[in-house]
């Protein structure tokens, strides 16, 4: 018992120190102008990323996904992906300043939005719907955009493993993004209650899910969370794809696409397996278009255990 308590105390101390180090770095970034801080974080991440154990996984994932690309291309995409991660960290500090979209403005600002009529229709004709996205560009801006259009979307998110960082991230997101549901055993029931009440929900669909449905992603087997498909089957609600794209000059384009046609079985029931594959196909389309804006260090294909670390 004493040893267990000591181990837990040491782990708690380690997590606290890691969180304080991360918060200290972010506070330092606040001293810089937004563009300078974001560009600096990009350069630092490009330098540190290749020195981490995750870089090998990143390169393996890229080679498996793009066997036709040269090693030079693979290395370049990997560096872009690390830079994207650095930018994400810095953008947390300036998120309020970055989102400057104004539909009345005649000239584009830092953020431009594609699919405004869809946003307005969803706002003016309230109904339950699901919007899904992936870890592309600055995906954190999407719920901010929804809130700016008057859409109260309850978002499912996975908290960081570090509890101190998780608390800070949750506090930050809740103040800017509306309702939040941490991913845990009962989260699916919370989302179901929201849809049942006629409210919209948002989910990320490109995360590894060890008990998921067997599907394909970049032609390789993955397991995909069936939650979205099962919610559609239960509530027969519309499903909208949305994504964030990084543009030159620290600018962003946020896109919401028309509702997708959900695969159905001959009896009219939602085909859960085909719907899960459809989500993967859409995310793959996005990633192929901007490969350096996705999180390639993420073990989506569950291969990390096979790599020598």
């Amino acid at each position: 018992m004493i040893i267990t308590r000591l181990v837990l105390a040491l782990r708690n101390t380690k997590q606290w120190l890691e969180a304080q180090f991360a918060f200290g770095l972010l506070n330092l970034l606040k001293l810089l102008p937004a563009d300078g801080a974001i560009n600096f974080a990009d350069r630092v991440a490009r330098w540190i990323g290749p020195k981490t154990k995750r870089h090998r996984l990143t390169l393996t994932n890229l080679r498996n996904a793009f066997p036709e690309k040269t090693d030079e291309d693979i290395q370049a995409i990997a560096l872009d992906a690390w830079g994207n991660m650095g930018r994400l960290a810095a953008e947390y500090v300036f998120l309020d300043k970055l989102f400057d979209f104004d539909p009345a403005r005649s000239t584009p600002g830092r953020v431009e939005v594609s699919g405004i009529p869809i946003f307005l229709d969803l706002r003016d004709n309230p109904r339950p719907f699901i919007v899904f996205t992936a870890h592309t560009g600055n995906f954190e801006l999407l719920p901010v955009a929804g809130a700016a259009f008057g859409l109260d979307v309850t978002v499912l998110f996975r908290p960081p493993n570090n509890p101190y960082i998780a608390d800070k991230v949750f506090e930050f997101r809740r103040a800017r993004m509306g309702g939040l549901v941490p991913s845990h055993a009962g989260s699916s029931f919370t989302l179901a209650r929201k849809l049942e009440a006629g409210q919209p929900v948002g989910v990320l669909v490109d995360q590894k899910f060890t008990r998921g449905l067997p599907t394909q992603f970049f032609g390789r087997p993955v397991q995909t969370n069936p939650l979205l498909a099962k919610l559609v089957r239960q509530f027969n609600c519309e499903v909208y794809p949305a994504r964030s794209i990084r543009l030159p000059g620290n600018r962003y384009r946020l896109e919401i696409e028309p509702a997708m046609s959900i695969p159905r079985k001959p009896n009219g029931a939602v085909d859960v397996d085909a719907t899960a594959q459809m989500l993967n196909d859409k995310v793959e389309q996005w990633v192929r278009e901007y490969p350096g804006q996705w999180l390639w260090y993420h073990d989506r294909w569950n291969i990390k255990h096979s790599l020598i670390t």
Side-chain angles (χ1 to χ4, degrees), residues 226-268:
L227 174 60
L228 184 148
K230 289 183 176 181
L231 289 173
V232 175
R233 182 178 62 183
Q234 182 177 357
F235 296 101
N236 196 33
C237 51
E238 297 171 326
V239 177
Y240 292 86
R243 64 168 170 169
S244 168
I245 301 171
R246 293 190 181 281
L247 302 175
N250 295 326
R251 296 183 63 251
Y252 315 85
R253 181 164 70 247
L254 308 181
E255 295 182 349
I256 186 168
E257 302 177 17
M260 300 187 76
S261 179
I262 302 299
R264 295 184 180 271
K265 297 180 179 180
N267 64 0

Side-chain angles (χ1 to χ4, degrees), residues 118-119 121-122 125-134 142-143 146 151-157 187-206 225-243 255-262 264 270 272 275-276 278-279 282 286:
I118 298 174
F119 275 114
D121 174 63
L122 293 173
N125 301 284
R127 57 193 183 272
F129 65 86
I130 301 174
V131 58
F132 74 87
T133 190
L142 288 168
L151 293 171
D152 184 15
V153 181
T154 298
V155 178
L156 177 70
F157 79 101
S187 57
S188 60
F189 297 104
T190 301
L191 296 183
R193 286 196 296 270
K194 292 293 183 180
L195 290 170
E196 187 175 25
Q199 300 174 17
V201 302
V203 295
L204 283 155
V205 298
D206 59 340
N225 193 331
L227 174 60
L228 184 148
K230 289 183 176 181
L231 289 173
V232 175
R233 182 178 62 183
Q234 182 177 357
F235 296 101
N236 196 33
C237 51
E238 297 171 326
V239 177
Y240 292 86
R243 64 168 170 169
E255 295 182 349
I256 186 168
E257 302 177 17
M260 300 187 76
S261 179
I262 302 299
R264 295 184 180 271
V270 170
V272 173
T275 299
M278 180 187 71
L279 300 178
K282 172 55 70 172
W286 290 340

Side-chain angles (χ1 to χ4, degrees), residues 22-298:
F23 297 153
L25 290 179
L26 293 179
N27 285 331
L28 285 176
L29 289 177
K30 290 181 181 179
L31 301 177
L32 300 173
D35 286 311
I38 294 170
N39 293 336
F40 174 74
D42 179 291
R43 291 193 296 271
V44 170
R46 287 171 183 265
W47 180 72
I48 294 177
K51 297 175 173 57
T52 65
K53 292 181 179 180
R54 286 279 176 169
H55 190 60
R56 184 176 181 186
L57 176 62
T58 296
L59 295 177
T60 300
N61 284 338
L62 282 166
R63 291 181 180 123
N64 288 340
F66 301 109
E68 75 283 1
K69 291 188 179 296
T70 66
D71 190 63
E72 183 180 28
D73 291 335
I74 294 298
Q75 295 286 349
I77 295 172
L79 285 180
D80 285 345
W82 285 117
N84 178 62
M85 277 300 304
R87 289 174 178 273
L88 272 172
E91 287 160 350
Y92 258 110
V93 177
F94 301 99
L95 200 59
D96 292 330
K97 297 179 180 179
L98 294 180
F99 189 83
D100 64 350
F101 175 74
D102 182 358
R105 178 185 294 167
S106 58
T107 57
R110 189 185 291 270
V111 175
E112 60 184 59
V113 176
S114 175
I116 293 177
I118 298 174
F119 275 114
L120 296 179
D121 174 63
L122 293 173
R123 182 196 66 187
D124 298 338
N125 301 284
R127 57 193 183 272
F129 65 86
I130 301 174
V131 58
F132 74 87
T133 190
H135 292 87
T136 59
N138 188 332
F139 52 92
E140 301 284 0
L141 286 170
L142 288 168
V144 177
F149 277 98
L151 293 171
D152 184 15
V153 181
T154 298
V155 178
L156 177 70
F157 79 101
R158 183 184 182 279
N161 293 329
N162 186 304
Y164 298 99
I165 295 177
D167 289 344
K168 185 69 70 172
V169 168
F170 182 79
E171 177 184 338
F172 180 87
R173 285 171 164 169
R174 183 174 56 183
R176 295 159 178 81
M177 303 178 185
L180 292 171
V181 178
S183 179
H184 53 66
S187 57
S188 60
F189 297 104
T190 301
L191 296 183
R193 286 196 296 270
K194 292 293 183 180
L195 290 170
E196 187 175 25
Q199 300 174 17
V201 302
V203 295
L204 283 155
V205 298
D206 59 340
Q207 295 168 309
K208 183 173 67 175
F209 192 73
T210 55
R211 302 181 306 279
L213 299 173
T215 53
Q216 296 281 312
F217 188 52
F218 280 87
R220 301 178 68 85
V222 293
Q223 292 177 292
T224 299
N225 193 331
L227 174 60
L228 184 148
K230 289 183 176 181
L231 289 173
V232 175
R233 182 178 62 183
Q234 182 177 357
F235 296 101
N236 196 33
C237 51
E238 297 171 326
V239 177
Y240 292 86
R243 64 168 170 169
S244 168
I245 301 171
R246 293 190 181 281
L247 302 175
N250 295 326
R251 296 183 63 251
Y252 315 85
R253 181 164 70 247
L254 308 181
E255 295 182 349
I256 186 168
E257 302 177 17
M260 300 187 76
S261 179
I262 302 299
R264 295 184 180 271
K265 297 180 179 180
N267 64 0
V270 170
D271 189 328
V272 173
D273 292 82
T275 299
Q277 183 59 56
M278 180 187 71
L279 300 178
N280 285 351
D281 292 343
K282 172 55 70 172
V283 174
E284 180 177 333
Q285 174 194 328
W286 290 340
V287 176
R288 285 186 179 277
E289 190 173 358
Y290 298 99
Q293 299 188 23
W294 193 62
L295 308 186
W296 288 99
Y297 74 85
H298 173 51

